[in-house]
Amino acid sequence: MEKTWRWFGKKDKIELNTLRQIGVEGIVSALHDIPNGEIWNLEAINDYKNYIESHGLRWSVVESLPVSEAIKYGGEDRDSLIENYITSLENLGKSGITTVCYNFMPVLDWARTDLFHEWEDGSSSLYFDKAKFAYFEIHILQREGAENDYNTEILQKVEELKNTLTEKDNNDLIDSVIVKTQGFVNGNIKEGELNPVEKFKSLLALYNGIDKDRLRRNMQYFLEKIMPVCEKWNIQMCVHPDDPPFSLLGLPRIVTNEEDIDWLLKAVDNPHNGLTFCAGSLSANLQNDVPKLAQKFAHRTKFVHLRSTNVFENGDFIEAHHLGGRGKLIEVIRVFEKENPDLPMRIDHGRLLTEDIDKGYHPGYSFLGRMLALGQIEGVMAAVQSELQKN
């Protein structure tokens, strides 16, 4: 598999030459300065591509070309937004960039309650605390009916949090859930938003009456519209599993498990409609056997994210060591090296080490932590490749 790295453009403190020196081969990036729904023009794409190539790397994967909310909930302007999307895809195809990772998650791109959960060795990583998220829904958002989505044990913990969390704690939670994790990559809410909670509520309201079946139909409509341009330019669309892979905020999630992925690939049964296999997101759902899913969907996978999680009995989960946790990355690598070895793969997230804070860190994206994981994964890949050659 091709070793790639998520890079956030010229403002990223991590330099492309540094990435080449540590063994990265391809870059995963996007035109982050272009607002959601607007066209990526050919000149901007080629300028960015040429800049990456001038450092001895290639722009391997677009992550992401965001799908506007109106496309997801089926708003009046969805057709014009889809036309813009098609034009952007065509321009990417003309530039020779043909792998596009995207998601179809309503409102939230991904969700964590703690961006710096400390481990015993002093490193930190992302954490999702189910009770804290419930507290956010019930007492900060004050979402109607939110308490009905949680069991008695969680609700008891919510009441405890209500009596212990300070105003600063509340602001930190708002920042983690709806600002820091969203705003730095084409998010709906940017840092500096004066009233992020009210903005967030207005986004949620757009999905009133949208259930799982409706969201599925909207996704199928979108994919059917874009498949002709994908076929013309050999563009591989690869949807990222929902993160976390279960319902949040009363919103449906439709890429969470085997049944969801199977539906998606059959609903638009086109080889250009594929999957980003994120072992981390899938491992956060206890019903998912991650290596089994890798085996089943290997030939419809276009891009691989290598990360893993540990999931606790109460539903909390945390980023795990790359060679541990429920992601079972050694088995996953074995599957893809055997079944679909030419895919780009990205080392995802990782531990935030002591010196990382000064090295271009974005929420969930360490430098030293990912570099350490890259070395570990390189070792696993080499061992697996040797094993396959012997067999």
Side-chain angles (χ1 to χ4, degrees), residues 159-187:
E159 286 307 301
E160 293 171 9
L161 290 170
K162 182 181 177 183
N163 295 324
T164 57
L165 293 185
T166 65
E167 183 177 356
K168 180 182 182 304
D169 294 328
N170 285 348
N171 289 334
D172 287 345
L173 189 54
I174 292 167
D175 205 39
S176 295
V177 174
I178 61 176
V179 180
K180 282 285 196 305
T181 54
Q182 312 301 316
F184 72 102
V185 279
N186 300 85

Side-chain angles (χ1 to χ4, degrees), residues 20-35:
R20 186 178 60 171
Q21 289 164 14
I22 65 173
V24 172
E25 298 163 330
I27 294 300
V28 178
S29 196
L31 301 183
H32 296 303
D33 293 333
I34 297 180

Side-chain angles (χ1 to χ4, degrees), residues 32-198:
H32 296 303
D33 293 333
I34 297 180
N36 291 5
E38 293 190 10
I39 291 171
W40 289 16
N41 67 57
L42 190 58
E43 181 181 9
I45 292 169
N46 280 329
D47 284 349
Y48 200 59
K49 178 189 176 187
N50 292 337
Y51 181 80
I52 291 170
E53 290 178 348
S54 72
H55 292 79
L57 298 161
R58 80 180 192 101
W59 189 0
S60 302
V61 180
V62 170
E63 187 177 351
S64 81
L65 180 57
V67 179
S68 301
E69 296 298 331
I71 296 175
K72 298 174 189 174
Y73 65 77
E76 292 181 0
D77 54 347
R78 75 166 169 179
D79 285 331
S80 62
L81 288 166
I82 290 174
E83 285 303 315
N84 285 357
Y85 202 97
I86 288 170
T87 302
S88 295
L89 288 176
E90 186 161 33
N91 289 337
L92 286 167
K94 290 176 180 178
S95 301
I97 302 165
T98 58
T99 302
V100 177
C101 174
Y102 72 104
N103 73 71
F104 217 79
M105 290 179 266
V107 184
L108 279 180
D109 191 356
W110 52 290
R112 300 293 188 273
T113 56
D114 188 350
L115 306 182
F116 302 97
H117 187 87
E118 190 166 327
W119 291 75
E120 290 181 0
D121 63 3
S123 64
S124 64
S125 62
L126 302 173
Y127 191 94
F128 183 88
D129 184 316
K130 197 167 186 177
K132 194 176 284 188
F133 195 89
Y135 169 84
F136 167 79
E137 283 205 71
I138 295 168
H139 293 295
I140 295 178
L141 280 187
Q142 299 180 349
R143 182 174 72 83
E144 185 177 354
E147 62 277 2
N148 297 327
D149 292 343
Y150 297 97
N151 61 34
T152 302
E153 181 181 355
I154 293 291
L155 292 175
Q156 288 174 345
K157 291 181 180 178
V158 168
E159 286 307 301
E160 293 171 9
L161 290 170
K162 182 181 177 183
N163 295 324
T164 57
L165 293 185
T166 65
E167 183 177 356
K168 180 182 182 304
D169 294 328
N170 285 348
N171 289 334
D172 287 345
L173 189 54
I174 292 167
D175 205 39
S176 295
V177 174
I178 61 176
V179 180
K180 282 285 196 305
T181 54
Q182 312 301 316
F184 72 102
V185 279
N186 300 85
N188 291 313
I189 297 175
K190 301 290 187 183
E191 290 203 52
E193 180 77 38
L194 294 178
N195 199 332
V197 172
E198 290 306 312

Side-chain angles (χ1 to χ4, degrees), residues 66-354:
V67 179
S68 301
E69 296 298 331
I71 296 175
K72 298 174 189 174
Y73 65 77
E76 292 181 0
D77 54 347
R78 75 166 169 179
D79 285 331
S80 62
L81 288 166
I82 290 174
E83 285 303 315
N84 285 357
Y85 202 97
I86 288 170
T87 302
S88 295
L89 288 176
E90 186 161 33
N91 289 337
L92 286 167
K94 290 176 180 178
S95 301
I97 302 165
T98 58
T99 302
V100 177
C101 174
Y102 72 104
N103 73 71
F104 217 79
M105 290 179 266
V107 184
L108 279 180
D109 191 356
W110 52 290
R112 300 293 188 273
T113 56
D114 188 350
L115 306 182
F116 302 97
H117 187 87
E118 190 166 327
W119 291 75
E120 290 181 0
D121 63 3
S123 64
S124 64
S125 62
L126 302 173
Y127 191 94
F128 183 88
D129 184 316
K130 197 167 186 177
K132 194 176 284 188
F133 195 89
Y135 169 84
F136 167 79
E137 283 205 71
I138 295 168
H139 293 295
I140 295 178
L141 280 187
Q142 299 180 349
R143 182 174 72 83
E144 185 177 354
E147 62 277 2
N148 297 327
D149 292 343
Y150 297 97
N151 61 34
T152 302
E153 181 181 355
I154 293 291
L155 292 175
Q156 288 174 345
K157 291 181 180 178
V158 168
E159 286 307 301
E160 293 171 9
L161 290 170
K162 182 181 177 183
N163 295 324
T164 57
L165 293 185
T166 65
E167 183 177 356
K168 180 182 182 304
D169 294 328
N170 285 348
N171 289 334
D172 287 345
L173 189 54
I174 292 167
D175 205 39
S176 295
V177 174
I178 61 176
V179 180
K180 282 285 196 305
T181 54
Q182 312 301 316
F184 72 102
V185 279
N186 300 85
N188 291 313
I189 297 175
K190 301 290 187 183
E191 290 203 52
E193 180 77 38
L194 294 178
N195 199 332
V197 172
E198 290 306 312
K199 175 71 177 294
F200 193 70
K201 286 181 177 180
S202 69
L203 290 168
L204 289 178
L206 297 171
Y207 286 86
N208 287 341
I210 304 295
D211 60 10
K212 182 172 184 176
D213 287 341
R214 177 69 179 275
L215 189 61
R216 275 184 166 183
R217 291 198 300 273
N218 291 347
M219 186 175 191
Q220 183 175 359
Y221 182 88
F222 164 71
L223 287 170
E224 287 174 344
K225 290 286 187 180
I226 68 171
M227 281 299 104
V229 73
C230 293
E231 291 173 346
K232 179 179 179 180
W233 294 101
N234 195 33
I235 292 171
Q236 311 299 322
M237 294 297 296
C238 41
V239 67
H240 191 287
D242 298 336
D243 187 7
F246 45 78
S247 178
L248 294 174
L249 302 161
L251 299 171
R253 297 286 214 177
I254 58 173
V255 191
T256 66
N257 56 28
E258 181 177 357
E259 188 270 334
D260 284 345
I261 298 168
D262 203 46
W263 173 86
L264 166 69
L265 299 179
K266 289 177 179 176
V268 182
D269 194 7
N270 185 305
H272 298 279
N273 171 32
L275 176 67
T276 295
F277 193 91
C278 180
S281 295
L282 292 168
S283 68
N285 184 333
L286 284 172
Q287 71 173 286
N288 288 335
D289 181 329
V290 180
K292 178 183 174 183
L293 294 178
Q295 185 69 49
K296 179 169 182 176
F297 298 115
H299 293 290
R300 291 291 290 272
T301 295
K302 313 297 183 180
F303 183 31
V304 178
H305 284 185
L306 293 178
R307 49 177 278 259
S308 184
T309 66
N310 284 321
V311 183
F312 305 103
E313 289 184 4
N314 63 358
D316 294 359
F317 65 87
I318 191 170
E319 298 298 317
H321 187 284
H322 278 75
L323 301 186
R326 297 194 71 255
K328 299 182 180 178
L329 297 188
I330 295 175
E331 295 180 47
V332 169
I333 290 169
R334 185 175 287 113
V335 168
F336 285 113
E337 285 292 346
K338 181 180 180 181
E339 304 293 342
N340 201 348
D342 296 326
L343 296 175
M345 73 85 181
R346 188 186 107 193
I347 298 297
D348 223 1
H349 298 331
R351 300 280 186 92
L352 180 68
L353 305 185
T354 304

